[in-house]
Amino acid sequence: MSSSAPAETEPPASRSLFAGPGEQGRWLMWRAVGEAVTAAVLVLLVHDAESAVEARLVGEAAGLAVLGIVLVLMRRRFPAACVLGLAALMGAVPSVALLTAVAAYTATRQLRTPRQRIGVLLGAAALTMLIGAVCAPVLEVGSNLFGLALGAVLAVTTVVVPGLVGTAAGQQGRLLRALRERAAAAEEARRLAESESRMRERSRIAAEMHDLVGHRLSLVSLHAGGLEMALEKAAPELRDEAAVVRRATRDAMQELREALGVLGPLESDTGTGALTDATGTRADIEALVEESRGGGIPVELCWEGADLDARPARVRRAVHRVVRESLTNVHRYAAGAHVTVAVHHTGELVVVRVRNGVPPTRPAATTGLGSGRGLAGLRERVALLGGELEAARTPGGGFAVAADLPADPGPGAETADARPEAGGPVVADEPAGRLSALQRRAAGAVIGLLGLTGVGVMVLFGVLLVDRSRYDLAYERPERPRVGMTKEQVKQAVPADDEASRAAAAGREPPRPPAATDCLYPYASERPEGGRLPIVRYCFRSDTLIAIDRFTVPMVTEPHSGSTTHD
């Protein structure tokens, strides 16, 4: 037998849009509601954080974040499609950055082949950068180069990094499952090997008993029969004693056969009770009851549930053995007592109860030929199937035998040791198992929140760096502004008109040229020095640049003073 782990099978696909493979139950809808609320909170947090950095990063397209919430809810059913969709959406709406990180982590945990994982991650990163480059001018965020840089930062922090973490977590989970399966297979192989060795030894003992003890008993029975015939005429008063010896030898032979049936392999019962197609069925039990009634024992049979003809042979054999041994003991030790035989067959259990009352007359003195192995053999047989057997006197003076048998024992039930500590699987206490699962889920939630916090910090840090280099990426040109250029050429060479710079210059700027019809106040990219903010003003007459003025204004309200230079 090979001890290799069984091949990992694919779990069945779920019908719910919000469930993963193999998941089902009403709790899935409540989980989806909780995830939707959490996703909305994450979108709002990222929206506010990005707005604090630069309001134009979110713009009017923030309403598309609702689509991102829907996609993150379906990430378990359609992992690759949801990651690609969120990545494309993130190029235009950076508010869904954390949702994209969650989807990337989930997808790379579910995808099994490296080719699928690499394809999804590279495709999602490319989509983010492409959509960002295309949408940046449309949303008036910046140039195509700025959108490409912003998309690259978002792709690395929310697609690549969570994807690599999800890949590692998925491989670790699959490795742990494979190791558990291999350990279970190795344990099963060890138990089967031990059981096979044990059964060989039991078979050897049974063969030795059959060859030695059985032969001796046969000789005793033969000589007792001859002695009975010889004493019939020579000493009739001793004939009955010889008959007692012959019957006792016959009973000993029958008990020996039953013991050999217990010691030998379960598939090959020996003796008078060998297995047939009807063994253990309702008809078989009724036949045993009728046989006892014919012997003068009032027996009442109560059968509840379906017949046992569809159950495994080892279960039917055990039921037959329990009823037959119990009735045999009644014949020996409680002749004439009322007996109740009850068999209750449910979907998972076969319950056998044999109870007898007090016999009307005390039984004759026993001969001491009983082996006492009948109930012990039954208890061992029932335990080998994973059941329990109890035999004890009742408070009224009778005797009761109760056996609880699994209706469908597992494949290793008949080879498992009867003692729980002898290699059987250890079943964890149910409350402890639930507590452990709850602790694992709580730990996973805490780790997930910490991971999302780390991703959010990386996203904001990356966006801040890209935003600080916005104008270097978006507007830097080889040709510097000069008098005589058109207004459109100046706009392409300098940052866009800034309301904050215009407001800071109001009341503190030098006089405009008399012919100027309009002035442009670009964003002040230079650092303030000495508490004064440098501003550059471009004045136009109609559509032609006529003056470039550089001056400084105080950072706080103070009397106007400043230096002015004219190009």
PDB file of all heavy atoms in Angstrom, residues 31-62:
ATOM      1  N   ARG A  31     -22.098  37.721   5.537  1.00  0.00           N
ATOM      2  CA  ARG A  31     -20.700  38.072   5.315  1.00  0.00           C
ATOM      3  C   ARG A  31     -20.569  39.098   4.198  1.00  0.00           C
ATOM      4  O   ARG A  31     -19.755  40.033   4.276  1.00  0.00           O
ATOM      5  CB  ARG A  31     -19.893  36.814   4.973  1.00  0.00           C
ATOM      6  CG  ARG A  31     -18.401  37.075   4.826  1.00  0.00           C
ATOM      7  CD  ARG A  31     -17.648  35.835   4.416  1.00  0.00           C
ATOM      8  NE  ARG A  31     -17.980  35.412   3.077  1.00  0.00           N
ATOM      9  CZ  ARG A  31     -17.440  34.365   2.466  1.00  0.00           C
ATOM     10  NH1 ARG A  31     -16.549  33.621   3.110  1.00  0.00           N
ATOM     11  NH2 ARG A  31     -17.787  34.036   1.241  1.00  0.00           N
ATOM     12  N   ALA A  32     -21.372  38.943   3.148  1.00  0.00           N
ATOM     13  CA  ALA A  32     -21.323  39.895   2.046  1.00  0.00           C
ATOM     14  C   ALA A  32     -21.761  41.289   2.511  1.00  0.00           C
ATOM     15  O   ALA A  32     -21.170  42.299   2.105  1.00  0.00           O
ATOM     16  CB  ALA A  32     -22.209  39.414   0.898  1.00  0.00           C
ATOM     17  N   VAL A  33     -22.785  41.337   3.363  1.00  0.00           N
ATOM     18  CA  VAL A  33     -23.232  42.638   3.878  1.00  0.00           C
ATOM     19  C   VAL A  33     -22.129  43.289   4.711  1.00  0.00           C
ATOM     20  O   VAL A  33     -21.838  44.490   4.574  1.00  0.00           O
ATOM     21  CB  VAL A  33     -24.516  42.462   4.711  1.00  0.00           C
ATOM     22  CG1 VAL A  33     -24.890  43.759   5.405  1.00  0.00           C
ATOM     23  CG2 VAL A  33     -25.668  41.997   3.816  1.00  0.00           C
ATOM     24  N   GLY A  34     -21.497  42.502   5.583  1.00  0.00           N
ATOM     25  CA  GLY A  34     -20.402  43.052   6.380  1.00  0.00           C
ATOM     26  C   GLY A  34     -19.236  43.522   5.527  1.00  0.00           C
ATOM     27  O   GLY A  34     -18.641  44.584   5.778  1.00  0.00           O
ATOM     28  N   GLU A  35     -18.904  42.761   4.493  1.00  0.00           N
ATOM     29  CA  GLU A  35     -17.808  43.175   3.613  1.00  0.00           C
ATOM     30  C   GLU A  35     -18.165  44.428   2.820  1.00  0.00           C
ATOM     31  O   GLU A  35     -17.293  45.265   2.562  1.00  0.00           O
ATOM     32  CB  GLU A  35     -17.447  42.035   2.660  1.00  0.00           C
ATOM     33  CG  GLU A  35     -16.760  40.866   3.358  1.00  0.00           C
ATOM     34  CD  GLU A  35     -16.359  39.787   2.378  1.00  0.00           C
ATOM     35  OE1 GLU A  35     -16.824  39.846   1.204  1.00  0.00           O
ATOM     36  OE2 GLU A  35     -15.588  38.885   2.749  1.00  0.00           O
ATOM     37  N   ALA A  36     -19.430  44.560   2.424  1.00  0.00           N
ATOM     38  CA  ALA A  36     -19.840  45.758   1.695  1.00  0.00           C
ATOM     39  C   ALA A  36     -19.696  47.006   2.571  1.00  0.00           C
ATOM     40  O   ALA A  36     -19.202  48.048   2.119  1.00  0.00           O
ATOM     41  CB  ALA A  36     -21.283  45.601   1.208  1.00  0.00           C
ATOM     42  N   VAL A  37     -20.122  46.891   3.832  1.00  0.00           N
ATOM     43  CA  VAL A  37     -19.987  48.037   4.740  1.00  0.00           C
ATOM     44  C   VAL A  37     -18.511  48.367   4.963  1.00  0.00           C
ATOM     45  O   VAL A  37     -18.100  49.534   4.923  1.00  0.00           O
ATOM     46  CB  VAL A  37     -20.700  47.733   6.074  1.00  0.00           C
ATOM     47  CG1 VAL A  37     -20.442  48.842   7.079  1.00  0.00           C
ATOM     48  CG2 VAL A  37     -22.195  47.551   5.843  1.00  0.00           C
ATOM     49  N   THR A  38     -17.692  47.336   5.187  1.00  0.00           N
ATOM     50  CA  THR A  38     -16.256  47.569   5.391  1.00  0.00           C
ATOM     51  C   THR A  38     -15.614  48.185   4.159  1.00  0.00           C
ATOM     52  O   THR A  38     -14.777  49.105   4.263  1.00  0.00           O
ATOM     53  CB  THR A  38     -15.571  46.247   5.739  1.00  0.00           C
ATOM     54  OG1 THR A  38     -16.211  45.649   6.870  1.00  0.00           O
ATOM     55  CG2 THR A  38     -14.095  46.471   6.060  1.00  0.00           C
ATOM     56  N   ALA A  39     -15.996  47.694   2.966  1.00  0.00           N
ATOM     57  CA  ALA A  39     -15.432  48.250   1.736  1.00  0.00           C
ATOM     58  C   ALA A  39     -15.812  49.714   1.560  1.00  0.00           C
ATOM     59  O   ALA A  39     -14.983  50.541   1.144  1.00  0.00           O
ATOM     60  CB  ALA A  39     -15.912  47.428   0.534  1.00  0.00           C
ATOM     61  N   ALA A  40     -17.061  50.076   1.889  1.00  0.00           N
ATOM     62  CA  ALA A  40     -17.471  51.473   1.786  1.00  0.00           C
ATOM     63  C   ALA A  40     -16.665  52.357   2.740  1.00  0.00           C
ATOM     64  O   ALA A  40     -16.251  53.466   2.382  1.00  0.00           O
ATOM     65  CB  ALA A  40     -18.963  51.597   2.070  1.00  0.00           C
ATOM     66  N   VAL A  41     -16.432  51.859   3.946  1.00  0.00           N
ATOM     67  CA  VAL A  41     -15.625  52.628   4.903  1.00  0.00           C
ATOM     68  C   VAL A  41     -14.207  52.817   4.388  1.00  0.00           C
ATOM     69  O   VAL A  41     -13.624  53.915   4.479  1.00  0.00           O
ATOM     70  CB  VAL A  41     -15.633  51.927   6.272  1.00  0.00           C
ATOM     71  CG1 VAL A  41     -14.648  52.586   7.224  1.00  0.00           C
ATOM     72  CG2 VAL A  41     -17.034  51.940   6.873  1.00  0.00           C
ATOM     73  N   LEU A  42     -13.626  51.770   3.817  1.00  0.00           N
ATOM     74  CA  LEU A  42     -12.262  51.877   3.281  1.00  0.00           C
ATOM     75  C   LEU A  42     -12.200  52.884   2.135  1.00  0.00           C
ATOM     76  O   LEU A  42     -11.252  53.671   2.032  1.00  0.00           O
ATOM     77  CB  LEU A  42     -11.784  50.506   2.803  1.00  0.00           C
ATOM     78  CG  LEU A  42     -11.534  49.454   3.890  1.00  0.00           C
ATOM     79  CD1 LEU A  42     -11.143  48.124   3.263  1.00  0.00           C
ATOM     80  CD2 LEU A  42     -10.451  49.926   4.844  1.00  0.00           C
ATOM     81  N   VAL A  43     -13.214  52.867   1.267  1.00  0.00           N
ATOM     82  CA  VAL A  43     -13.229  53.820   0.157  1.00  0.00           C
ATOM     83  C   VAL A  43     -13.301  55.254   0.672  1.00  0.00           C
ATOM     84  O   VAL A  43     -12.593  56.151   0.192  1.00  0.00           O
ATOM     85  CB  VAL A  43     -14.407  53.512  -0.790  1.00  0.00           C
ATOM     86  CG1 VAL A  43     -14.602  54.641  -1.796  1.00  0.00           C
ATOM     87  CG2 VAL A  43     -14.161  52.202  -1.519  1.00  0.00           C
ATOM     88  N   LEU A  44     -14.153  55.483   1.663  1.00  0.00           N
ATOM     89  CA  LEU A  44     -14.273  56.838   2.216  1.00  0.00           C
ATOM     90  C   LEU A  44     -12.976  57.287   2.886  1.00  0.00           C
ATOM     91  O   LEU A  44     -12.560  58.446   2.754  1.00  0.00           O
ATOM     92  CB  LEU A  44     -15.424  56.885   3.222  1.00  0.00           C
ATOM     93  CG  LEU A  44     -16.832  56.722   2.629  1.00  0.00           C
ATOM     94  CD1 LEU A  44     -17.876  56.700   3.726  1.00  0.00           C
ATOM     95  CD2 LEU A  44     -17.130  57.854   1.637  1.00  0.00           C
ATOM     96  N   LEU A  45     -12.321  56.369   3.610  1.00  0.00           N
ATOM     97  CA  LEU A  45     -11.062  56.734   4.259  1.00  0.00           C
ATOM     98  C   LEU A  45      -9.992  57.099   3.236  1.00  0.00           C
ATOM     99  O   LEU A  45      -9.282  58.104   3.378  1.00  0.00           O
ATOM    100  CB  LEU A  45     -10.588  55.572   5.141  1.00  0.00           C
ATOM    101  CG  LEU A  45     -11.398  55.302   6.410  1.00  0.00           C
ATOM    102  CD1 LEU A  45     -10.862  54.072   7.134  1.00  0.00           C
ATOM    103  CD2 LEU A  45     -11.358  56.511   7.328  1.00  0.00           C
ATOM    104  N   VAL A  46      -9.852  56.279   2.201  1.00  0.00           N
ATOM    105  CA  VAL A  46      -8.856  56.575   1.167  1.00  0.00           C
ATOM    106  C   VAL A  46      -9.214  57.858   0.425  1.00  0.00           C
ATOM    107  O   VAL A  46      -8.349  58.665   0.084  1.00  0.00           O
ATOM    108  CB  VAL A  46      -8.724  55.385   0.188  1.00  0.00           C
ATOM    109  CG1 VAL A  46      -7.756  55.706  -0.929  1.00  0.00           C
ATOM    110  CG2 VAL A  46      -8.264  54.146   0.933  1.00  0.00           C
ATOM    111  N   HIS A  47     -10.514  58.083   0.186  1.00  0.00           N
ATOM    112  CA  HIS A  47     -10.963  59.300  -0.492  1.00  0.00           C
ATOM    113  C   HIS A  47     -10.576  60.543   0.308  1.00  0.00           C
ATOM    114  O   HIS A  47     -10.042  61.517  -0.232  1.00  0.00           O
ATOM    115  CB  HIS A  47     -12.473  59.225  -0.689  1.00  0.00           C
ATOM    116  CG  HIS A  47     -13.046  60.414  -1.404  1.00  0.00           C
ATOM    117  ND1 HIS A  47     -13.362  61.594  -0.753  1.00  0.00           N
ATOM    118  CD2 HIS A  47     -13.361  60.607  -2.712  1.00  0.00           C
ATOM    119  CE1 HIS A  47     -13.844  62.461  -1.621  1.00  0.00           C
ATOM    120  NE2 HIS A  47     -13.859  61.885  -2.820  1.00  0.00           N
ATOM    121  N   ASP A  48     -10.832  60.504   1.612  1.00  0.00           N
ATOM    122  CA  ASP A  48     -10.487  61.653   2.446  1.00  0.00           C
ATOM    123  C   ASP A  48      -8.978  61.858   2.520  1.00  0.00           C
ATOM    124  O   ASP A  48      -8.488  62.994   2.482  1.00  0.00           O
ATOM    125  CB  ASP A  48     -11.054  61.466   3.849  1.00  0.00           C
ATOM    126  CG  ASP A  48     -12.585  61.504   3.853  1.00  0.00           C
ATOM    127  OD1 ASP A  48     -13.158  62.021   2.873  1.00  0.00           O
ATOM    128  OD2 ASP A  48     -13.184  61.011   4.825  1.00  0.00           O
ATOM    129  N   ALA A  49      -8.228  60.753   2.627  1.00  0.00           N
ATOM    130  CA  ALA A  49      -6.771  60.881   2.711  1.00  0.00           C
ATOM    131  C   ALA A  49      -6.190  61.445   1.421  1.00  0.00           C
ATOM    132  O   ALA A  49      -5.307  62.314   1.448  1.00  0.00           O
ATOM    133  CB  ALA A  49      -6.155  59.519   3.023  1.00  0.00           C
ATOM    134  N   GLU A  50      -6.677  60.979   0.282  1.00  0.00           N
ATOM    135  CA  GLU A  50      -6.158  61.495  -0.982  1.00  0.00           C
ATOM    136  C   GLU A  50      -6.608  62.930  -1.218  1.00  0.00           C
ATOM    137  O   GLU A  50      -5.878  63.721  -1.833  1.00  0.00           O
ATOM    138  CB  GLU A  50      -6.608  60.595  -2.134  1.00  0.00           C
ATOM    139  CG  GLU A  50      -5.932  59.229  -2.121  1.00  0.00           C
ATOM    140  CD  GLU A  50      -6.431  58.340  -3.231  1.00  0.00           C
ATOM    141  OE1 GLU A  50      -7.484  58.684  -3.825  1.00  0.00           O
ATOM    142  OE2 GLU A  50      -5.795  57.312  -3.503  1.00  0.00           O
ATOM    143  N   SER A  51      -7.810  63.257  -0.769  1.00  0.00           N
ATOM    144  CA  SER A  51      -8.260  64.640  -0.901  1.00  0.00           C
ATOM    145  C   SER A  51      -7.383  65.577  -0.092  1.00  0.00           C
ATOM    146  O   SER A  51      -7.143  66.724  -0.479  1.00  0.00           O
ATOM    147  CB  SER A  51      -9.719  64.759  -0.445  1.00  0.00           C
ATOM    148  OG  SER A  51     -10.553  63.948  -1.240  1.00  0.00           O
ATOM    149  N   ALA A  52      -6.904  65.095   1.064  1.00  0.00           N
ATOM    150  CA  ALA A  52      -6.011  65.928   1.854  1.00  0.00           C
ATOM    151  C   ALA A  52      -4.685  66.165   1.139  1.00  0.00           C
ATOM    152  O   ALA A  52      -4.062  67.220   1.277  1.00  0.00           O
ATOM    153  CB  ALA A  52      -5.754  65.268   3.215  1.00  0.00           C
ATOM    154  N   VAL A  53      -4.257  65.178   0.341  1.00  0.00           N
ATOM    155  CA  VAL A  53      -3.022  65.353  -0.432  1.00  0.00           C
ATOM    156  C   VAL A  53      -3.265  66.262  -1.627  1.00  0.00           C
ATOM    157  O   VAL A  53      -2.551  67.231  -1.866  1.00  0.00           O
ATOM    158  CB  VAL A  53      -2.499  63.972  -0.890  1.00  0.00           C
ATOM    159  CG1 VAL A  53      -1.290  64.148  -1.811  1.00  0.00           C
ATOM    160  CG2 VAL A  53      -2.119  63.135   0.311  1.00  0.00           C
ATOM    161  N   GLU A  54      -4.279  65.950  -2.401  1.00  0.00           N
ATOM    162  CA  GLU A  54      -4.598  66.753  -3.584  1.00  0.00           C
ATOM    163  C   GLU A  54      -6.010  66.404  -4.019  1.00  0.00           C
ATOM    164  O   GLU A  54      -6.299  65.249  -4.366  1.00  0.00           O
ATOM    165  CB  GLU A  54      -3.610  66.468  -4.726  1.00  0.00           C
ATOM    166  CG  GLU A  54      -3.939  67.202  -6.011  1.00  0.00           C
ATOM    167  CD  GLU A  54      -4.015  68.711  -5.819  1.00  0.00           C
ATOM    168  OE1 GLU A  54      -3.018  69.290  -5.369  1.00  0.00           O
ATOM    169  OE2 GLU A  54      -5.087  69.270  -6.086  1.00  0.00           O
ATOM    170  N   ALA A  55      -6.911  67.373  -3.961  1.00  0.00           N
ATOM    171  CA  ALA A  55      -8.320  67.122  -4.253  1.00  0.00           C
ATOM    172  C   ALA A  55      -8.534  66.655  -5.679  1.00  0.00           C
ATOM    173  O   ALA A  55      -9.451  65.907  -5.972  1.00  0.00           O
ATOM    174  CB  ALA A  55      -9.149  68.380  -3.990  1.00  0.00           C
ATOM    175  N   ARG A  56      -7.664  67.073  -6.605  1.00  0.00           N
ATOM    176  CA  ARG A  56      -7.868  66.704  -8.003  1.00  0.00           C
ATOM    177  C   ARG A  56      -7.568  65.226  -8.270  1.00  0.00           C
ATOM    178  O   ARG A  56      -7.837  64.721  -9.350  1.00  0.00           O
ATOM    179  CB  ARG A  56      -6.987  67.580  -8.902  1.00  0.00           C
ATOM    180  CG  ARG A  56      -7.543  68.977  -9.093  1.00  0.00           C
ATOM    181  CD  ARG A  56      -6.620  69.826  -9.921  1.00  0.00           C
ATOM    182  NE  ARG A  56      -5.377  70.115  -9.203  1.00  0.00           N
ATOM    183  CZ  ARG A  56      -4.439  70.939  -9.673  1.00  0.00           C
ATOM    184  NH1 ARG A  56      -4.608  71.538 -10.837  1.00  0.00           N
ATOM    185  NH2 ARG A  56      -3.344  71.158  -8.978  1.00  0.00           N
ATOM    186  N   LEU A  57      -7.005  64.521  -7.281  1.00  0.00           N
ATOM    187  CA  LEU A  57      -6.745  63.104  -7.482  1.00  0.00           C
ATOM    188  C   LEU A  57      -8.028  62.290  -7.550  1.00  0.00           C
ATOM    189  O   LEU A  57      -8.063  61.229  -8.143  1.00  0.00           O
ATOM    190  CB  LEU A  57      -5.870  62.557  -6.349  1.00  0.00           C
ATOM    191  CG  LEU A  57      -4.385  62.910  -6.404  1.00  0.00           C
ATOM    192  CD1 LEU A  57      -3.700  62.349  -5.176  1.00  0.00           C
ATOM    193  CD2 LEU A  57      -3.752  62.363  -7.658  1.00  0.00           C
ATOM    194  N   VAL A  58      -9.089  62.755  -6.910  1.00  0.00           N
ATOM    195  CA  VAL A  58     -10.331  62.001  -6.881  1.00  0.00           C
ATOM    196  C   VAL A  58     -11.367  62.584  -7.821  1.00  0.00           C
ATOM    197  O   VAL A  58     -12.029  61.880  -8.561  1.00  0.00           O
ATOM    198  CB  VAL A  58     -10.870  61.909  -5.444  1.00  0.00           C
ATOM    199  CG1 VAL A  58     -10.002  60.998  -4.629  1.00  0.00           C
ATOM    200  CG2 VAL A  58     -10.921  63.267  -4.790  1.00  0.00           C
ATOM    201  N   GLY A  59     -11.543  63.854  -7.811  1.00  0.00           N
ATOM    202  CA  GLY A  59     -12.415  64.521  -8.771  1.00  0.00           C
ATOM    203  C   GLY A  59     -13.841  64.008  -8.723  1.00  0.00           C
ATOM    204  O   GLY A  59     -14.330  63.495  -7.732  1.00  0.00           O
ATOM    205  N   GLU A  60     -14.523  64.145  -9.859  1.00  0.00           N
ATOM    206  CA  GLU A  60     -15.930  63.748  -9.939  1.00  0.00           C
ATOM    207  C   GLU A  60     -16.097  62.259 -10.176  1.00  0.00           C
ATOM    208  O   GLU A  60     -17.206  61.746 -10.123  1.00  0.00           O
ATOM    209  CB  GLU A  60     -16.613  64.521 -11.072  1.00  0.00           C
ATOM    210  CG  GLU A  60     -16.606  66.030 -10.858  1.00  0.00           C
ATOM    211  CD  GLU A  60     -17.240  66.760 -12.028  1.00  0.00           C
ATOM    212  OE1 GLU A  60     -17.612  66.072 -13.001  1.00  0.00           O
ATOM    213  OE2 GLU A  60     -17.359  67.988 -11.951  1.00  0.00           O
ATOM    214  N   ALA A  61     -14.982  61.544 -10.457  1.00  0.00           N
ATOM    215  CA  ALA A  61     -15.097  60.112 -10.754  1.00  0.00           C
ATOM    216  C   ALA A  61     -15.201  59.250  -9.519  1.00  0.00           C
ATOM    217  O   ALA A  61     -15.224  58.033  -9.617  1.00  0.00           O
ATOM    218  CB  ALA A  61     -13.891  59.665 -11.583  1.00  0.00           C
ATOM    219  N   ALA A  62     -15.256  59.817  -8.322  1.00  0.00           N
ATOM    220  CA  ALA A  62     -15.307  59.017  -7.091  1.00  0.00           C
ATOM    221  C   ALA A  62     -16.580  58.183  -7.005  1.00  0.00           C
ATOM    222  O   ALA A  62     -16.613  57.174  -6.298  1.00  0.00           O
ATOM    223  CB  ALA A  62     -15.197  59.926  -5.879  1.00  0.00           C
TER     224      ALA A  62
END
